[in-house]
Amino acid sequence: MKFEAIAVENIPLIHTGDDLPSIICKNLELQDRDIVIIASTIVAKAEGEIFRLENITPGKTALEMAARNGKDARFIQAVLSRSREVLVEKPFMLVTTLAGHTCVNAGVDESNIEDGFLLYPPENPDASASRLGNNLEKLSKKKLSVIVTDTNGRAFKIGQTGAAIGIYKIKPVKRWIGEKDLFGKVLEVTEEAVADELAGAANLLMGEGAGGTPVVVIRGFDYYCEEETYIKEMYRPEELDIIKKGLRCLQNRVE
């Protein structure tokens, strides 16, 4: 078994309103059941999720947090506007976004964007992946899957890796529960984060610097599904998320 990871070359700098599916199809002939992996930065740019810090007016909560942690209240307000819960305030803001993804600064980014601007992540990454997927399928006349990715750190390791934040026509998790291992033992808890693994593989080609390539196609790994899929299938249920429970307990003690 093998698959290819193909960097889509010649993607230009993306601006608000640019037609990403047309740009992708112009630069690579897609095949049936390809998985198109797209960096959230260019999705956000195309959707116009760009703002200037000077245009943000901080509210009471942002001002209070800024007084405690010394950060710019306007940046804090930008993060809060895309967050449903703040789990850690300092030395960085760890939040759960409105879309349910837990990450630093709600994905608000000042890299890979012109000076003086910041970038929100796509507000609804699943919806973005679905729009992109539908349009890519119309243009290519192929059955395709889409993963929108961001780079995330890991709680217990140094370094960032690609992670899926929005999906289209791909199951995000493969459940091995009930199958047998090499020795015939029935697996009881094994669940494989397929969408994140593919995002991580693509990130090796995407890169992080000036020479980055924001679109990668995975070919030969057939994980296409016809039914609707949602990234929330990857998120641990609240009642089972012991890390969030622990962070909330620490917050309560500090308060």
Side-chain angles (χ1 to χ4, degrees), residues 96-148:
T96 300
T97 69
L98 297 176
H101 182 54
T102 299
C103 61
V104 173
N105 293 338
V108 175
D109 197 359
E110 56 187 346
S111 61
N112 295 309
I113 187 73
E114 291 83 355
D115 287 342
F117 291 89
L118 286 92
L119 194 65
Y120 282 118
E123 187 169 3
N124 185 335
D126 273 342
S128 297
S130 182
R131 284 193 296 271
L132 291 164
N134 276 302
N135 288 329
L136 283 165
E137 287 183 324
K138 287 176 184 176
L139 288 170
S140 67
K141 304 294 191 292
K142 308 295 184 184
K143 292 183 176 181
L144 304 168
S145 302
V146 172
I147 300 175
V148 175

Side-chain angles (χ1 to χ4, degrees), residues 77-231:
Q77 184 60 54
V79 174
L80 291 177
S81 70
R82 290 298 174 92
S83 305
R84 68 167 66 159
E85 181 180 13
V86 178
L87 296 164
V88 175
E89 280 191 29
K90 60 179 182 180
F92 51 80
M93 290 180 70
L94 180 68
V95 306
T96 300
T97 69
L98 297 176
H101 182 54
T102 299
C103 61
V104 173
N105 293 338
V108 175
D109 197 359
E110 56 187 346
S111 61
N112 295 309
I113 187 73
E114 291 83 355
D115 287 342
F117 291 89
L118 286 92
L119 194 65
Y120 282 118
E123 187 169 3
N124 185 335
D126 273 342
S128 297
S130 182
R131 284 193 296 271
L132 291 164
N134 276 302
N135 288 329
L136 283 165
E137 287 183 324
K138 287 176 184 176
L139 288 170
S140 67
K141 304 294 191 292
K142 308 295 184 184
K143 292 183 176 181
L144 304 168
S145 302
V146 172
I147 300 175
V148 175
T149 72
D150 199 0
T151 49
N152 279 195
R154 284 84 49 77
F156 306 107
K157 289 184 177 180
I158 294 170
Q160 289 76 41
T161 185
I165 64 169
I167 56 173
Y168 170 75
K169 289 191 176 178
I170 185 170
K171 280 288 188 184
V173 176
K174 179 176 175 60
R175 292 178 170 82
W176 293 89
I177 297 168
E179 299 193 32
K180 294 181 179 180
D181 68 10
L182 291 172
F183 300 94
K185 298 175 185 176
V186 176
L187 299 170
E188 296 181 359
V189 295
T190 304
E191 295 175 297
E192 184 178 1
V194 173
D196 279 348
E197 290 178 322
L198 292 169
N203 199 61
L204 291 170
L205 296 181
M206 285 181 172
E208 295 290 336
T213 303
V215 182
V216 171
V217 169
I218 301 292
R219 180 166 294 165
F221 184 86
D222 189 356
Y223 214 57
Y224 175 87
C225 69
E226 291 282 0
E227 63 194 80
E228 290 188 359
T229 55
Y230 304 95
I231 198 67

Side-chain angles (χ1 to χ4, degrees), residues 27-92:
N27 287 288
L28 183 71
E29 185 175 347
L30 296 172
Q31 297 182 9
D32 261 335
R33 299 177 184 264
D34 278 348
I35 303 169
V36 185
I37 301 183
I38 308 173
S40 62
T41 50
I42 65 166
V43 177
K45 285 181 179 181
E47 292 179 351
E49 295 287 357
I50 300 169
F51 67 97
R52 286 183 179 272
L53 199 59
E54 63 196 46
N55 294 332
I56 300 290
T57 301
K60 179 182 177 183
T61 300
L63 292 168
E64 291 173 347
M65 290 177 65
R68 289 194 294 268
N69 61 31
K71 296 183 184 296
D72 190 319
R74 297 169 300 174
F75 185 82
I76 292 174
Q77 184 60 54
V79 174
L80 291 177
S81 70
R82 290 298 174 92
S83 305
R84 68 167 66 159
E85 181 180 13
V86 178
L87 296 164
V88 175
E89 280 191 29
K90 60 179 182 180
F92 51 80

